[in-house]
Amino acid sequence: MSLLLQRLKGGLHDRALQQLYRRRKSLSSPQGALISVDGKSLLNFSSNDYLGLANHPDLAHRASASLKRFGFGAGASHLVSGHSDLHRELEESLARLTGRDRALLFSSGFAANLAVQQVLLRKGDAVFHDRLNHASLLDGAQLSGARLYRFAHNDLAHLKQRLQGADAEGKLIAVDAVYSMDGDLAPLAELASIAKREGALLMADDAHGFGVLGESGAGSAEHWGLDQQQLPILMGTLGKAIGSYGAFIAGSEELIEGLIQFARPYIYTTALPASVAAASLAGLELLQKEPERRTKLHSLVAYFRGAANELGLPLMPSGTAIQPLLLGSSEIALKVAEAISAQGIYVPAIRPPTVPANSARLRITITADHELEHIDRLLDVLAEQLSNLVG
């Protein structure tokens, strides 16, 4: 066996010993409050399908209708012959909804975050990241050639210190608008003020806020009342609250044209199928036609937090659909997840390196597909199992 594969084998062995080995589960059902996992029916508190749109008939119908017109595969990149009328319509709809000049589609949020930093940053620049930023932001910064500065989570004083201590030509501040494993919000209004004062650009990854936050569901920029000048770079995903797939960057004419011309993850990637764009358009229409989905979601989150606090469950502070139950030990997190699965509830155990050391947790996500009786069942089982296993 080659040295490279020997090292890989050793890494796999170490990960298993540390209770950090990841295993996939196979679904035989659509997303929803109830799913079938490995042949077992489970109450689902693991999905990012926050508004319950992933299995909505409108999305399936629009995608199906587009297949008759465009077929399935896009066949080429956007810059060759893969950019359809539906892609153009989706980008225009996203720009209108977010209040930006333009929007540009990407195959994933990961690709979008790589692209922005690769295009804007170069050697001699500096990029400033919250320590809990998503891995895609971190990888994008490391590949950009700029110097990476990380600041303590939501610690604005530490950010200011890092900004003032950096000798750099250009500066970019990049944060998660909603932190994917903690569920709390970045203080975007204050970050916008700091960025303006320091001559830095501000970028927000709104993967978990787009569709959920804001009066119209336009996301964190709307929630904080930030326009394009205050928040110049907005990334959102379509595979969570919108129920489809893909991502976008929204911003100025110059930003979008720059990405089209220079972003390698955009230029050298086959376009999303037109059917995916059709489904996304249907999701955006439902977002605006059915605001009661957001209202219900926020009501369920408030109900869950109130009852969980009364039970003394170790919830982390979060007002979003992401409700982490902090357990610390990876071994304990796995045991609790397995125990509640045996009781018919699926909540994943999240362990390092996805989260910092000694902060393993159950990442509970609530969706508009849930009902109060689902929440009550989850609370009862959690209280029982945590009492048995944690004491």
Side-chain angles (χ1 to χ4, degrees), residues 241-252:
I242 304 305
S244 181
Y245 184 72
F248 66 92
I249 297 290
S252 68

Side-chain angles (χ1 to χ4, degrees), residues 303-364:
Y303 177 83
F304 172 77
R305 286 197 66 82
N309 286 326
E310 286 184 13
L311 291 169
L313 300 182
L315 277 185
M316 296 175 66
S318 166
T320 68
I322 302 164
Q323 292 294 313
L325 202 66
L326 185 62
L327 298 174
S329 159
S330 295
E331 182 179 4
I332 290 176
L334 281 173
K335 285 182 177 178
V336 175
E338 290 168 1
I340 66 173
S341 179
Q343 296 292 313
I345 296 177
Y346 180 44
V347 180
I350 305 297
R351 297 155 288 158
T354 304
V355 293
N358 303 312
S359 70
R361 66 201 63 181
L362 297 188
R363 182 184 182 270
I364 298 162

Side-chain angles (χ1 to χ4, degrees), residues 157-190:
H158 192 208
L159 170 61
K160 292 175 188 176
Q161 179 186 343
R162 306 236 72 179
L163 282 161
Q164 292 162 6
D167 181 17
E169 296 177 12
K171 298 179 180 181
L172 174 70
I173 302 169
V175 297
D176 284 13
V178 176
Y179 287 90
S180 61
M181 293 298 130
D182 290 49
D184 57 339
L185 307 184
L188 287 180
E190 293 169 277

Side-chain angles (χ1 to χ4, degrees), residues 345-390:
I345 296 177
Y346 180 44
V347 180
I350 305 297
R351 297 155 288 158
T354 304
V355 293
N358 303 312
S359 70
R361 66 201 63 181
L362 297 188
R363 182 184 182 270
I364 298 162
T365 52
I366 297 168
T367 77
D369 270 342
H370 289 120
E371 303 296 342
L372 286 178
E373 54 263 33
H374 298 147
I375 305 292
D376 287 336
R377 175 63 180 158
L378 171 65
L379 290 162
D380 290 343
V381 171
L382 283 174
E384 177 188 356
Q385 296 303 326
L386 286 174
S387 176
N388 292 340
L389 295 171
V390 180

